[in-house]
Amino acid sequence: LFTNLVKPHFDNFKDNTFILAQTNYLDKVYRDSYYHYYSSKLHKYKRDSVRLSFFEEAISDTDFFDGAQHSTLQEKYRGFIVLRPTDPFIIGRSIISPHLRKTNNFLVCASKFHTTVNGVKFTVKGFPHSSQDTETISCAETSLWAIMEYFSNKYSDYQPVLPSKIIRTLNQVSSERQIPSKGLNIAQMSYALKEFGFGTRIYSKQQYASEFGGLLSCYIESGIPIIVAIDNRHRGGSIGHALLAIGHSKIENDQIDALVPYTTSNTILTGALAAKSIVLYDYDAIIKDFVFIDDNHSPYQKASLAQPARHYNAEWHNCEITYFIAPLYPKIYLEAYEAKNYIRNFIITGPEPLNDNSQVLLRFYLASSRSFKDAIAKNDSFQEDLKSIIIETSMPKFIWVAEVSSQDLIKEKKANGIIIVDATEANIYFNKPLILGAYQDKLILFDEISG
C-alpha cells in the first residue's frame, strides 16, 4: 500500500521534507463515512486514521514544546495527508501546499486551512484532495467534497459538506440507492452544487465546439475551480471520470508569441474584423498545461486540455473533456460565453470601435468588485484620474473585466485599456451591461438618463 499509494505523493515532494506521523487521529470526513456506512458491516473497520504532517527543512519533536520555535515551525509547515483504514484506498483528506512540490511553476486556486500538529495550531494554503474509497465516495463525490471544502474555507457564503450530506442531497433526485456508490452523471453533480448554494452552469464540448476550451480557460483565469468530466466512450472505450481543474502553468513569452488570431463563426464580427483590418488575440487561446486535482493521483497534476489524462497509462490517453461545470455565485447572470461575445462586439463594432489596423490581445476574467478595486487602488502604474473614476464608480458584487493589451505588453503583465461589464446583467441589448470602457485615449461611460 505504501509503495503503490503513498510513495507517489512523496516522490513529488522536495528532498528536505520532514514528516511527523500521528496515530489514532480522528478525521471528520472518514468518521462521517464510518458512522453512516462502514460501522454497519460485519468486517470490523477501525474508527481512527493516521495523519502525516509535512515540514520543509529539519524539525525536532522538542520544537513543538518551545514557544519560541512556533513561528519557525509555521514557516516550515506544508500541510498533511490522512491515511484511513479503508485499504486498498487509504489516501484520505489532504491539504498540501504547492510549495512542497519539487516543481511548482503553476498558478492555482488555494484557500487557507487551519489545523493542529502535536498540539500546536498551524495554517496552510492549498487545495483539498482525497482519493475515492469506491463505496461511500467515487470520483464525482470526491470532486464535490473538495470544491465545497475549498469554497467554505474561502467564503462565508458556503458550508463544507461531508459524504453523508452529498448522499442525502442526491437521494432526492435518484431512483435508486446512493451507496455503495456507482458514480454520478454531470446533471447529478450540477444539481448537488446548486443545492449547496451555487448558480451552476454546465458547458458541453458538443454545444460550444471551438469556444469550449477558451471558456474553460476563462473561468480558471478568474480563479474559479471547475468540475471536469472526461471519457473515451465515444471512441470505443469504457472510461468515465470526474476531476477538478484548479489552475494552469505559468505563461512563457514563447507561448504568447505562438498565439494565432481569433476567428469566429459570427459573420457580422468576421466582416467587421476584415473591413477594419483588425487582428484580435484571445489570452484564453494560449496553449498551456492546466493543473488538476485527480483522486487517482497525487494533487496538482499537470495536463493539456487536448490530453487531460496523460498522467495515466496508455488506456486513458484517448480520453477527452466532454463537459465542465462552473460553480458560480447565484447572482452572476451573465456567464462567460455571453460576456466574451458582448465585449468583442462592443470593441469591434462600436459605439467606439478599435482603430483600423489595430492588433489587440484581450484577457477576460470574472472578479468581485471589492477585490478588483482593491487591486486597482494598490496599482502604482495605473493612471491616477482613471483610478479615481473606477474606484468611485458604482459596481455590482461581481464584474467581468477585459484587459485590452498586446502581445508585447502582456509579457510585462501590462495593458493599455480596460472594459468593465456588469456580471449581474443578462440583457446585453443597448449596452446595458457596460459599466466603463477606457482604451485608445477615450473614456466610455453609460449615461442612464439618455441611454
Side-chain angles (χ1 to χ4, degrees), residues 51 54 74 76-81 93-100 110-117 121-128 153 300:
R51 183 171 65 172
F54 304 102
Q74 173 60 66
K76 298 178 180 180
Y77 182 62
R78 295 292 181 267
F80 64 88
I81 292 177
R93 183 172 65 100
S94 310
I95 310 288
I96 299 295
S97 168
H99 297 296
L100 187 63
S111 185
K112 185 182 288 186
F113 293 84
H114 301 276
T115 184
T116 61
V117 182
K121 291 182 178 179
F122 291 96
T123 59
V124 61
K125 286 192 76 172
F127 200 94
N153 271 274
Y300 312 117

PDB file of all heavy atoms in Angstrom, residues 51 54 74 76-81 93-100 110-117 121-128 153 300:
ATOM      1  N   ARG A  51      -2.405  10.495  10.566  1.00  0.00           N
ATOM      2  CA  ARG A  51      -2.174  11.748   9.841  1.00  0.00           C
ATOM      3  C   ARG A  51      -0.680  12.019   9.734  1.00  0.00           C
ATOM      4  O   ARG A  51       0.050  11.966  10.717  1.00  0.00           O
ATOM      5  CB  ARG A  51      -2.853  12.937  10.526  1.00  0.00           C
ATOM      6  CG  ARG A  51      -2.659  14.227   9.716  1.00  0.00           C
ATOM      7  CD  ARG A  51      -3.479  15.379  10.232  1.00  0.00           C
ATOM      8  NE  ARG A  51      -3.060  15.785  11.571  1.00  0.00           N
ATOM      9  CZ  ARG A  51      -3.508  16.869  12.190  1.00  0.00           C
ATOM     10  NH1 ARG A  51      -4.405  17.640  11.594  1.00  0.00           N
ATOM     11  NH2 ARG A  51      -3.084  17.172  13.405  1.00  0.00           N
ATOM     12  N   PHE A  54       3.645  17.558   7.138  1.00  0.00           N
ATOM     13  CA  PHE A  54       4.885  17.769   6.386  1.00  0.00           C
ATOM     14  C   PHE A  54       5.493  19.134   6.686  1.00  0.00           C
ATOM     15  O   PHE A  54       4.783  20.146   6.772  1.00  0.00           O
ATOM     16  CB  PHE A  54       4.611  17.638   4.883  1.00  0.00           C
ATOM     17  CG  PHE A  54       3.993  16.326   4.513  1.00  0.00           C
ATOM     18  CD1 PHE A  54       2.633  16.242   4.259  1.00  0.00           C
ATOM     19  CD2 PHE A  54       4.748  15.170   4.453  1.00  0.00           C
ATOM     20  CE1 PHE A  54       2.043  15.034   3.938  1.00  0.00           C
ATOM     21  CE2 PHE A  54       4.170  13.954   4.127  1.00  0.00           C
ATOM     22  CZ  PHE A  54       2.817  13.879   3.880  1.00  0.00           C
ATOM     23  N   GLN A  74       5.819  27.262  11.801  1.00  0.00           N
ATOM     24  CA  GLN A  74       4.779  27.705  10.876  1.00  0.00           C
ATOM     25  C   GLN A  74       5.373  28.012   9.499  1.00  0.00           C
ATOM     26  O   GLN A  74       4.786  27.681   8.467  1.00  0.00           O
ATOM     27  CB  GLN A  74       4.063  28.933  11.429  1.00  0.00           C
ATOM     28  CG  GLN A  74       3.066  29.580  10.465  1.00  0.00           C
ATOM     29  CD  GLN A  74       1.944  28.638  10.042  1.00  0.00           C
ATOM     30  OE1 GLN A  74       1.120  28.229  10.845  1.00  0.00           O
ATOM     31  NE2 GLN A  74       1.934  28.272   8.765  1.00  0.00           N
ATOM     32  N   LYS A  76       7.821  26.592   8.168  1.00  0.00           N
ATOM     33  CA  LYS A  76       8.231  25.335   7.530  1.00  0.00           C
ATOM     34  C   LYS A  76       7.047  24.421   7.203  1.00  0.00           C
ATOM     35  O   LYS A  76       7.195  23.468   6.439  1.00  0.00           O
ATOM     36  CB  LYS A  76       9.195  24.569   8.445  1.00  0.00           C
ATOM     37  CG  LYS A  76      10.502  25.293   8.740  1.00  0.00           C
ATOM     38  CD  LYS A  76      11.362  24.473   9.706  1.00  0.00           C
ATOM     39  CE  LYS A  76      12.676  25.175  10.013  1.00  0.00           C
ATOM     40  NZ  LYS A  76      13.518  24.376  10.950  1.00  0.00           N
ATOM     41  N   TYR A  77       5.863  24.704   7.778  1.00  0.00           N
ATOM     42  CA  TYR A  77       4.718  23.786   7.656  1.00  0.00           C
ATOM     43  C   TYR A  77       4.164  23.788   6.237  1.00  0.00           C
ATOM     44  O   TYR A  77       3.942  24.850   5.642  1.00  0.00           O
ATOM     45  CB  TYR A  77       3.628  24.182   8.648  1.00  0.00           C
ATOM     46  CG  TYR A  77       2.427  23.254   8.638  1.00  0.00           C
ATOM     47  CD1 TYR A  77       2.565  21.909   8.966  1.00  0.00           C
ATOM     48  CD2 TYR A  77       1.163  23.721   8.300  1.00  0.00           C
ATOM     49  CE1 TYR A  77       1.478  21.050   8.963  1.00  0.00           C
ATOM     50  CE2 TYR A  77       0.063  22.887   8.300  1.00  0.00           C
ATOM     51  CZ  TYR A  77       0.229  21.547   8.629  1.00  0.00           C
ATOM     52  OH  TYR A  77      -0.857  20.702   8.624  1.00  0.00           O
ATOM     53  N   ARG A  78       3.893  22.590   5.684  1.00  0.00           N
ATOM     54  CA  ARG A  78       3.453  22.475   4.295  1.00  0.00           C
ATOM     55  C   ARG A  78       2.224  21.572   4.114  1.00  0.00           C
ATOM     56  O   ARG A  78       1.926  21.176   2.990  1.00  0.00           O
ATOM     57  CB  ARG A  78       4.601  21.936   3.432  1.00  0.00           C
ATOM     58  CG  ARG A  78       5.795  22.868   3.324  1.00  0.00           C
ATOM     59  CD  ARG A  78       5.470  24.125   2.532  1.00  0.00           C
ATOM     60  NE  ARG A  78       6.618  25.009   2.406  1.00  0.00           N
ATOM     61  CZ  ARG A  78       6.885  26.009   3.231  1.00  0.00           C
ATOM     62  NH1 ARG A  78       6.052  26.275   4.239  1.00  0.00           N
ATOM     63  NH2 ARG A  78       7.947  26.761   3.072  1.00  0.00           N
ATOM     64  N   GLY A  79       1.502  21.254   5.193  1.00  0.00           N
ATOM     65  CA  GLY A  79       0.250  20.534   5.015  1.00  0.00           C
ATOM     66  C   GLY A  79       0.277  19.111   5.545  1.00  0.00           C
ATOM     67  O   GLY A  79       1.203  18.715   6.264  1.00  0.00           O
ATOM     68  N   PHE A  80      -0.743  18.329   5.164  1.00  0.00           N
ATOM     69  CA  PHE A  80      -0.908  16.984   5.737  1.00  0.00           C
ATOM     70  C   PHE A  80      -1.630  16.046   4.777  1.00  0.00           C
ATOM     71  O   PHE A  80      -2.295  16.476   3.831  1.00  0.00           O
ATOM     72  CB  PHE A  80      -1.695  17.063   7.053  1.00  0.00           C
ATOM     73  CG  PHE A  80      -3.109  17.566   6.885  1.00  0.00           C
ATOM     74  CD1 PHE A  80      -4.157  16.688   6.604  1.00  0.00           C
ATOM     75  CD2 PHE A  80      -3.413  18.915   6.997  1.00  0.00           C
ATOM     76  CE1 PHE A  80      -5.452  17.140   6.437  1.00  0.00           C
ATOM     77  CE2 PHE A  80      -4.698  19.385   6.832  1.00  0.00           C
ATOM     78  CZ  PHE A  80      -5.726  18.491   6.559  1.00  0.00           C
ATOM     79  N   ILE A  81      -1.476  14.763   5.040  1.00  0.00           N
ATOM     80  CA  ILE A  81      -2.227  13.691   4.363  1.00  0.00           C
ATOM     81  C   ILE A  81      -2.778  12.775   5.437  1.00  0.00           C
ATOM     82  O   ILE A  81      -2.052  12.374   6.357  1.00  0.00           O
ATOM     83  CB  ILE A  81      -1.331  12.883   3.397  1.00  0.00           C
ATOM     84  CG1 ILE A  81      -0.903  13.731   2.197  1.00  0.00           C
ATOM     85  CG2 ILE A  81      -2.063  11.630   2.914  1.00  0.00           C
ATOM     86  CD1 ILE A  81       0.051  13.001   1.255  1.00  0.00           C
ATOM     87  N   ARG A  93      -8.440  12.646   3.403  1.00  0.00           N
ATOM     88  CA  ARG A  93      -8.422  14.117   3.322  1.00  0.00           C
ATOM     89  C   ARG A  93      -6.988  14.646   3.394  1.00  0.00           C
ATOM     90  O   ARG A  93      -6.232  14.302   4.296  1.00  0.00           O
ATOM     91  CB  ARG A  93      -9.253  14.685   4.475  1.00  0.00           C
ATOM     92  CG  ARG A  93      -9.386  16.192   4.497  1.00  0.00           C
ATOM     93  CD  ARG A  93     -10.389  16.606   5.554  1.00  0.00           C
ATOM     94  NE  ARG A  93      -9.930  16.283   6.897  1.00  0.00           N
ATOM     95  CZ  ARG A  93      -9.376  17.155   7.731  1.00  0.00           C
ATOM     96  NH1 ARG A  93      -9.215  18.409   7.363  1.00  0.00           N
ATOM     97  NH2 ARG A  93      -9.011  16.787   8.944  1.00  0.00           N
ATOM     98  N   SER A  94      -6.647  15.502   2.442  1.00  0.00           N
ATOM     99  CA  SER A  94      -5.283  16.030   2.360  1.00  0.00           C
ATOM    100  C   SER A  94      -5.309  17.497   1.952  1.00  0.00           C
ATOM    101  O   SER A  94      -6.137  17.899   1.139  1.00  0.00           O
ATOM    102  CB  SER A  94      -4.453  15.257   1.322  1.00  0.00           C
ATOM    103  OG  SER A  94      -4.550  13.868   1.519  1.00  0.00           O
ATOM    104  N   ILE A  95      -4.395  18.266   2.525  1.00  0.00           N
ATOM    105  CA  ILE A  95      -4.133  19.633   2.077  1.00  0.00           C
ATOM    106  C   ILE A  95      -2.616  19.755   1.959  1.00  0.00           C
ATOM    107  O   ILE A  95      -1.905  19.692   2.968  1.00  0.00           O
ATOM    108  CB  ILE A  95      -4.637  20.714   3.055  1.00  0.00           C
ATOM    109  CG1 ILE A  95      -6.103  20.480   3.457  1.00  0.00           C
ATOM    110  CG2 ILE A  95      -4.440  22.098   2.433  1.00  0.00           C
ATOM    111  CD1 ILE A  95      -7.112  20.764   2.391  1.00  0.00           C
ATOM    112  N   ILE A  96      -2.125  19.901   0.755  1.00  0.00           N
ATOM    113  CA  ILE A  96      -0.692  20.023   0.520  1.00  0.00           C
ATOM    114  C   ILE A  96      -0.399  21.380  -0.101  1.00  0.00           C
ATOM    115  O   ILE A  96      -1.041  21.763  -1.088  1.00  0.00           O
ATOM    116  CB  ILE A  96      -0.175  18.897  -0.411  1.00  0.00           C
ATOM    117  CG1 ILE A  96      -0.412  17.520   0.221  1.00  0.00           C
ATOM    118  CG2 ILE A  96       1.301  19.087  -0.739  1.00  0.00           C
ATOM    119  CD1 ILE A  96       0.374  17.278   1.483  1.00  0.00           C
ATOM    120  N   SER A  97       0.565  22.091   0.436  1.00  0.00           N
ATOM    121  CA  SER A  97       0.979  23.360  -0.164  1.00  0.00           C
ATOM    122  C   SER A  97       1.711  23.097  -1.473  1.00  0.00           C
ATOM    123  O   SER A  97       2.576  22.199  -1.537  1.00  0.00           O
ATOM    124  CB  SER A  97       1.900  24.120   0.788  1.00  0.00           C
ATOM    125  OG  SER A  97       2.514  25.199   0.125  1.00  0.00           O
ATOM    126  N   PRO A  98       1.407  23.855  -2.536  1.00  0.00           N
ATOM    127  CA  PRO A  98       2.158  23.686  -3.786  1.00  0.00           C
ATOM    128  C   PRO A  98       3.651  23.916  -3.608  1.00  0.00           C
ATOM    129  O   PRO A  98       4.456  23.378  -4.377  1.00  0.00           O
ATOM    130  CB  PRO A  98       1.548  24.758  -4.711  1.00  0.00           C
ATOM    131  CG  PRO A  98       0.193  25.038  -4.151  1.00  0.00           C
ATOM    132  CD  PRO A  98       0.331  24.855  -2.665  1.00  0.00           C
ATOM    133  N   HIS A  99       4.032  24.690  -2.578  1.00  0.00           N
ATOM    134  CA  HIS A  99       5.454  24.985  -2.358  1.00  0.00           C
ATOM    135  C   HIS A  99       6.242  23.764  -1.891  1.00  0.00           C
ATOM    136  O   HIS A  99       7.476  23.801  -1.884  1.00  0.00           O
ATOM    137  CB  HIS A  99       5.603  26.111  -1.329  1.00  0.00           C
ATOM    138  CG  HIS A  99       5.004  27.409  -1.774  1.00  0.00           C
ATOM    139  ND1 HIS A  99       5.469  28.118  -2.854  1.00  0.00           N
ATOM    140  CD2 HIS A  99       3.955  28.125  -1.291  1.00  0.00           C
ATOM    141  CE1 HIS A  99       4.761  29.214  -3.018  1.00  0.00           C
ATOM    142  NE2 HIS A  99       3.824  29.245  -2.083  1.00  0.00           N
ATOM    143  N   LEU A 100       5.554  22.697  -1.490  1.00  0.00           N
ATOM    144  CA  LEU A 100       6.255  21.479  -1.076  1.00  0.00           C
ATOM    145  C   LEU A 100       6.733  20.669  -2.283  1.00  0.00           C
ATOM    146  O   LEU A 100       7.630  19.847  -2.163  1.00  0.00           O
ATOM    147  CB  LEU A 100       5.345  20.614  -0.187  1.00  0.00           C
ATOM    148  CG  LEU A 100       5.990  19.385   0.467  1.00  0.00           C
ATOM    149  CD1 LEU A 100       7.099  19.797   1.431  1.00  0.00           C
ATOM    150  CD2 LEU A 100       4.951  18.542   1.206  1.00  0.00           C
ATOM    151  N   ALA A 110      -6.179  28.497  -4.260  1.00  0.00           N
ATOM    152  CA  ALA A 110      -5.760  27.963  -2.964  1.00  0.00           C
ATOM    153  C   ALA A 110      -6.503  28.697  -1.861  1.00  0.00           C
ATOM    154  O   ALA A 110      -6.801  29.887  -1.981  1.00  0.00           O
ATOM    155  CB  ALA A 110      -4.252  28.116  -2.771  1.00  0.00           C
ATOM    156  N   SER A 111      -6.822  27.976  -0.819  1.00  0.00           N
ATOM    157  CA  SER A 111      -7.507  28.555   0.331  1.00  0.00           C
ATOM    158  C   SER A 111      -6.689  28.263   1.579  1.00  0.00           C
ATOM    159  O   SER A 111      -5.887  27.317   1.612  1.00  0.00           O
ATOM    160  CB  SER A 111      -8.916  27.957   0.459  1.00  0.00           C
ATOM    161  OG  SER A 111      -9.637  28.584   1.496  1.00  0.00           O
ATOM    162  N   LYS A 112      -6.889  29.076   2.608  1.00  0.00           N
ATOM    163  CA  LYS A 112      -6.134  28.897   3.858  1.00  0.00           C
ATOM    164  C   LYS A 112      -6.901  27.953   4.786  1.00  0.00           C
ATOM    165  O   LYS A 112      -8.088  28.144   5.035  1.00  0.00           O
ATOM    166  CB  LYS A 112      -5.919  30.243   4.541  1.00  0.00           C
ATOM    167  CG  LYS A 112      -5.033  30.184   5.786  1.00  0.00           C
ATOM    168  CD  LYS A 112      -4.894  31.542   6.440  1.00  0.00           C
ATOM    169  CE  LYS A 112      -4.020  32.471   5.633  1.00  0.00           C
ATOM    170  NZ  LYS A 112      -3.775  33.753   6.346  1.00  0.00           N
ATOM    171  N   PHE A 113      -6.221  26.927   5.267  1.00  0.00           N
ATOM    172  CA  PHE A 113      -6.828  25.944   6.159  1.00  0.00           C
ATOM    173  C   PHE A 113      -6.112  25.959   7.511  1.00  0.00           C
ATOM    174  O   PHE A 113      -4.886  26.088   7.577  1.00  0.00           O
ATOM    175  CB  PHE A 113      -6.747  24.539   5.543  1.00  0.00           C
ATOM    176  CG  PHE A 113      -7.596  24.379   4.319  1.00  0.00           C
ATOM    177  CD1 PHE A 113      -7.115  24.764   3.076  1.00  0.00           C
ATOM    178  CD2 PHE A 113      -8.880  23.870   4.399  1.00  0.00           C
ATOM    179  CE1 PHE A 113      -7.899  24.637   1.937  1.00  0.00           C
ATOM    180  CE2 PHE A 113      -9.667  23.732   3.275  1.00  0.00           C
ATOM    181  CZ  PHE A 113      -9.186  24.118   2.039  1.00  0.00           C
ATOM    182  N   HIS A 114      -6.905  25.818   8.559  1.00  0.00           N
ATOM    183  CA  HIS A 114      -6.369  25.816   9.921  1.00  0.00           C
ATOM    184  C   HIS A 114      -6.344  24.383  10.457  1.00  0.00           C
ATOM    185  O   HIS A 114      -7.310  23.635  10.298  1.00  0.00           O
ATOM    186  CB  HIS A 114      -7.226  26.693  10.834  1.00  0.00           C
ATOM    187  CG  HIS A 114      -7.306  28.118  10.376  1.00  0.00           C
ATOM    188  ND1 HIS A 114      -6.341  29.051  10.675  1.00  0.00           N
ATOM    189  CD2 HIS A 114      -8.234  28.763   9.615  1.00  0.00           C
ATOM    190  CE1 HIS A 114      -6.660  30.209  10.126  1.00  0.00           C
ATOM    191  NE2 HIS A 114      -7.808  30.067   9.487  1.00  0.00           N
ATOM    192  N   THR A 115      -5.261  24.014  11.092  1.00  0.00           N
ATOM    193  CA  THR A 115      -5.141  22.663  11.642  1.00  0.00           C
ATOM    194  C   THR A 115      -4.189  22.702  12.845  1.00  0.00           C
ATOM    195  O   THR A 115      -3.667  23.758  13.202  1.00  0.00           O
ATOM    196  CB  THR A 115      -4.622  21.689  10.567  1.00  0.00           C
ATOM    197  OG1 THR A 115      -4.596  20.365  11.088  1.00  0.00           O
ATOM    198  CG2 THR A 115      -3.236  22.078  10.083  1.00  0.00           C
ATOM    199  N   THR A 116      -4.008  21.563  13.478  1.00  0.00           N
ATOM    200  CA  THR A 116      -3.050  21.460  14.583  1.00  0.00           C
ATOM    201  C   THR A 116      -2.116  20.291  14.324  1.00  0.00           C
ATOM    202  O   THR A 116      -2.503  19.295  13.708  1.00  0.00           O
ATOM    203  CB  THR A 116      -3.753  21.243  15.939  1.00  0.00           C
ATOM    204  OG1 THR A 116      -4.488  20.008  15.902  1.00  0.00           O
ATOM    205  CG2 THR A 116      -4.686  22.386  16.260  1.00  0.00           C
ATOM    206  N   VAL A 117      -0.906  20.416  14.801  1.00  0.00           N
ATOM    207  CA  VAL A 117       0.070  19.326  14.748  1.00  0.00           C
ATOM    208  C   VAL A 117       0.717  19.233  16.113  1.00  0.00           C
ATOM    209  O   VAL A 117       1.303  20.214  16.597  1.00  0.00           O
ATOM    210  CB  VAL A 117       1.144  19.564  13.665  1.00  0.00           C
ATOM    211  CG1 VAL A 117       2.111  18.379  13.612  1.00  0.00           C
ATOM    212  CG2 VAL A 117       0.510  19.794  12.301  1.00  0.00           C
ATOM    213  N   LYS A 121      -1.195  25.017  16.779  1.00  0.00           N
ATOM    214  CA  LYS A 121      -2.016  25.443  15.646  1.00  0.00           C
ATOM    215  C   LYS A 121      -1.148  25.896  14.484  1.00  0.00           C
ATOM    216  O   LYS A 121      -0.154  26.606  14.663  1.00  0.00           O
ATOM    217  CB  LYS A 121      -2.942  26.591  16.065  1.00  0.00           C
ATOM    218  CG  LYS A 121      -4.042  26.187  17.040  1.00  0.00           C
ATOM    219  CD  LYS A 121      -4.943  27.368  17.364  1.00  0.00           C
ATOM    220  CE  LYS A 121      -6.074  26.955  18.307  1.00  0.00           C
ATOM    221  NZ  LYS A 121      -6.951  28.107  18.640  1.00  0.00           N
ATOM    222  N   PHE A 122      -1.589  25.487  13.261  1.00  0.00           N
ATOM    223  CA  PHE A 122      -0.886  25.885  12.038  1.00  0.00           C
ATOM    224  C   PHE A 122      -1.907  26.273  10.971  1.00  0.00           C
ATOM    225  O   PHE A 122      -3.085  25.902  11.050  1.00  0.00           O
ATOM    226  CB  PHE A 122      -0.024  24.739  11.498  1.00  0.00           C
ATOM    227  CG  PHE A 122       1.168  24.408  12.347  1.00  0.00           C
ATOM    228  CD1 PHE A 122       1.117  23.385  13.276  1.00  0.00           C
ATOM    229  CD2 PHE A 122       2.358  25.119  12.204  1.00  0.00           C
ATOM    230  CE1 PHE A 122       2.203  23.072  14.063  1.00  0.00           C
ATOM    231  CE2 PHE A 122       3.456  24.809  12.991  1.00  0.00           C
ATOM    232  CZ  PHE A 122       3.387  23.788  13.920  1.00  0.00           C
ATOM    233  N   THR A 123      -1.435  27.002   9.964  1.00  0.00           N
ATOM    234  CA  THR A 123      -2.252  27.275   8.777  1.00  0.00           C
ATOM    235  C   THR A 123      -1.451  26.853   7.550  1.00  0.00           C
ATOM    236  O   THR A 123      -0.210  26.946   7.530  1.00  0.00           O
ATOM    237  CB  THR A 123      -2.635  28.758   8.650  1.00  0.00           C
ATOM    238  OG1 THR A 123      -1.450  29.554   8.573  1.00  0.00           O
ATOM    239  CG2 THR A 123      -3.481  29.212   9.824  1.00  0.00           C
ATOM    240  N   VAL A 124      -2.175  26.415   6.507  1.00  0.00           N
ATOM    241  CA  VAL A 124      -1.542  26.037   5.241  1.00  0.00           C
ATOM    242  C   VAL A 124      -2.445  26.463   4.106  1.00  0.00           C
ATOM    243  O   VAL A 124      -3.671  26.406   4.218  1.00  0.00           O
ATOM    244  CB  VAL A 124      -1.269  24.507   5.200  1.00  0.00           C
ATOM    245  CG1 VAL A 124      -2.560  23.704   5.317  1.00  0.00           C
ATOM    246  CG2 VAL A 124      -0.526  24.127   3.928  1.00  0.00           C
ATOM    247  N   LYS A 125      -1.850  26.917   3.003  1.00  0.00           N
ATOM    248  CA  LYS A 125      -2.612  27.290   1.818  1.00  0.00           C
ATOM    249  C   LYS A 125      -2.448  26.218   0.750  1.00  0.00           C
ATOM    250  O   LYS A 125      -1.326  25.847   0.392  1.00  0.00           O
ATOM    251  CB  LYS A 125      -2.150  28.639   1.270  1.00  0.00           C
ATOM    252  CG  LYS A 125      -2.603  29.834   2.093  1.00  0.00           C
ATOM    253  CD  LYS A 125      -2.383  31.144   1.370  1.00  0.00           C
ATOM    254  CE  LYS A 125      -3.425  31.357   0.284  1.00  0.00           C
ATOM    255  NZ  LYS A 125      -3.345  32.707  -0.322  1.00  0.00           N
ATOM    256  N   GLY A 126      -3.581  25.698   0.290  1.00  0.00           N
ATOM    257  CA  GLY A 126      -3.543  24.661  -0.730  1.00  0.00           C
ATOM    258  C   GLY A 126      -4.948  24.354  -1.200  1.00  0.00           C
ATOM    259  O   GLY A 126      -5.900  25.060  -0.868  1.00  0.00           O
ATOM    260  N   PHE A 127      -5.074  23.283  -1.967  1.00  0.00           N
ATOM    261  CA  PHE A 127      -6.394  22.859  -2.442  1.00  0.00           C
ATOM    262  C   PHE A 127      -6.693  21.464  -1.890  1.00  0.00           C
ATOM    263  O   PHE A 127      -5.824  20.589  -1.907  1.00  0.00           O
ATOM    264  CB  PHE A 127      -6.459  22.848  -3.970  1.00  0.00           C
ATOM    265  CG  PHE A 127      -7.866  22.883  -4.494  1.00  0.00           C
ATOM    266  CD1 PHE A 127      -8.460  24.087  -4.826  1.00  0.00           C
ATOM    267  CD2 PHE A 127      -8.616  21.722  -4.616  1.00  0.00           C
ATOM    268  CE1 PHE A 127      -9.771  24.138  -5.286  1.00  0.00           C
ATOM    269  CE2 PHE A 127      -9.922  21.753  -5.069  1.00  0.00           C
ATOM    270  CZ  PHE A 127     -10.512  22.968  -5.409  1.00  0.00           C
ATOM    271  N   PRO A 128      -7.922  21.240  -1.385  1.00  0.00           N
ATOM    272  CA  PRO A 128      -8.265  19.940  -0.784  1.00  0.00           C
ATOM    273  C   PRO A 128      -8.149  18.793  -1.783  1.00  0.00           C
ATOM    274  O   PRO A 128      -8.435  18.954  -2.972  1.00  0.00           O
ATOM    275  CB  PRO A 128      -9.726  20.128  -0.342  1.00  0.00           C
ATOM    276  CG  PRO A 128      -9.934  21.599  -0.285  1.00  0.00           C
ATOM    277  CD  PRO A 128      -9.035  22.198  -1.313  1.00  0.00           C
ATOM    278  N   ASN A 153     -13.981  27.313   3.044  1.00  0.00           N
ATOM    279  CA  ASN A 153     -12.850  27.882   3.777  1.00  0.00           C
ATOM    280  C   ASN A 153     -12.485  29.275   3.281  1.00  0.00           C
ATOM    281  O   ASN A 153     -11.839  30.034   3.988  1.00  0.00           O
ATOM    282  CB  ASN A 153     -11.622  26.968   3.668  1.00  0.00           C
ATOM    283  CG  ASN A 153     -11.574  25.932   4.754  1.00  0.00           C
ATOM    284  OD1 ASN A 153     -11.077  26.180   5.846  1.00  0.00           O
ATOM    285  ND2 ASN A 153     -12.135  24.768   4.479  1.00  0.00           N
ATOM    286  N   TYR A 300      -2.244  18.335  -7.814  1.00  0.00           N
ATOM    287  CA  TYR A 300      -1.546  19.248  -8.720  1.00  0.00           C
ATOM    288  C   TYR A 300      -0.913  18.521  -9.910  1.00  0.00           C
ATOM    289  O   TYR A 300       0.262  18.702 -10.230  1.00  0.00           O
ATOM    290  CB  TYR A 300      -0.489  20.066  -7.967  1.00  0.00           C
ATOM    291  CG  TYR A 300      -0.993  20.690  -6.690  1.00  0.00           C
ATOM    292  CD1 TYR A 300      -0.455  20.342  -5.449  1.00  0.00           C
ATOM    293  CD2 TYR A 300      -2.032  21.625  -6.704  1.00  0.00           C
ATOM    294  CE1 TYR A 300      -0.924  20.901  -4.272  1.00  0.00           C
ATOM    295  CE2 TYR A 300      -2.509  22.187  -5.530  1.00  0.00           C
ATOM    296  CZ  TYR A 300      -1.955  21.823  -4.320  1.00  0.00           C
ATOM    297  OH  TYR A 300      -2.419  22.381  -3.145  1.00  0.00           O
TER     298      TYR A 300
END
